[in-house]
Amino acid sequence: MTREDAYYERIKLLCGDWASYDKWLNCYLETENPLSDIILTLIDCGDDMKEVEYHLHLYCLENPFDEESVYTRWRVELCDRYEKNEMTTDEVMSALYHFSQVIPFCTFSNCCAGLSDYYCLVEEGVVDTKKFETVLKDWLKNGDVINTEKMWEII
């Protein structure tokens, strides 16, 4: 298991997405031979998700890893699901808000929080929904800095 994959799963658990954990762990049980120490530890945790989160956290602290690649993976996954209409704008924004609450302060968390703030303005009718969705789609596809000027342009 890579630390990036462990970090990805830890974020999911911290955001309350426990549904896919068993499938994720079973995939490692089927593919790792011999089983790594972290997999054996996670097996010992059973259904105690707090204990699982704790051990994934410790595992990620042991060695440096590419956090940015994990954030890119999240962004691309959200983009795919959003484009396929598997997620609504509300669901994407809820996910981004939750990410921003559980990951360390960085450019990605700043973008998540910024988009969440602007979405509040959409809900209050201050910012046009279509303009916001255009900015959101651009960011999900490219991951660049959020172009807030597009939301304030007058048609």
Side-chain angles (χ1 to χ4, degrees):
M1 170 188 315
T2 66
R3 281 176 174 69
E4 288 82 3
D5 200 35
Y7 186 58
Y8 177 84
E9 190 63 24
R10 181 174 176 265
I11 292 170
K12 286 176 69 173
L13 294 173
L14 289 171
C15 290
D17 181 3
W18 300 338
S20 63
Y21 172 73
D22 286 337
K23 182 178 177 182
W24 175 79
L25 183 60
N26 284 335
C27 183
Y28 279 103
L29 291 172
E30 294 171 4
T31 58
E32 278 194 1
N33 189 11
L35 296 176
S36 62
D37 289 342
I38 185 61
I39 295 299
L40 294 171
T41 300
L42 295 177
I43 292 168
D44 289 341
C45 293
D47 291 335
D48 186 345
M49 288 301 130
K50 291 294 181 192
E51 193 71 14
V52 168
E53 290 170 10
Y54 172 74
H55 286 288
L56 287 173
H57 178 67
L58 290 180
Y59 180 69
C60 291
L61 289 176
E62 288 176 355
N63 288 305
F65 63 96
D66 185 2
E67 288 181 40
E68 288 301 318
S69 70
V70 177
Y71 303 146
T72 299
R73 180 177 170 186
W74 272 111
R75 185 181 47 74
V76 169
E77 180 181 315
L78 288 175
C79 183
D80 289 344
R81 292 183 66 199
Y82 188 56
E83 287 181 339
K84 292 176 183 174
N85 293 319
E86 294 173 4
M87 290 182 85
T88 64
T89 303
D90 282 344
E91 291 168 328
V92 170
M93 295 313 304
S94 176
L96 291 177
Y97 174 78
H98 285 99
F99 295 160
S100 72
Q101 300 301 302
V102 300
I103 62 176
F105 182 76
C106 61
T107 302
F108 184 78
S109 68
N110 193 30
C111 288
C112 292
L115 284 166
S116 294
D117 291 344
Y118 272 95
Y119 193 59
C120 289
L121 296 175
V122 169
E123 291 178 321
E124 293 173 6
V126 175
V127 172
D128 181 71
T129 302
K130 290 184 190 236
K131 288 180 182 180
F132 175 81
E133 288 176 350
T134 299
V135 170
L136 175 62
K137 287 176 188 176
D138 287 346
W139 182 77
L140 288 171
K141 284 184 181 183
N142 305 315
D144 297 331
V145 176
I146 301 165
N147 186 350
T148 57
E149 290 179 9
K150 284 185 178 181
M151 285 188 261
W152 298 107
E153 288 178 351
I154 298 174
I155 299 176

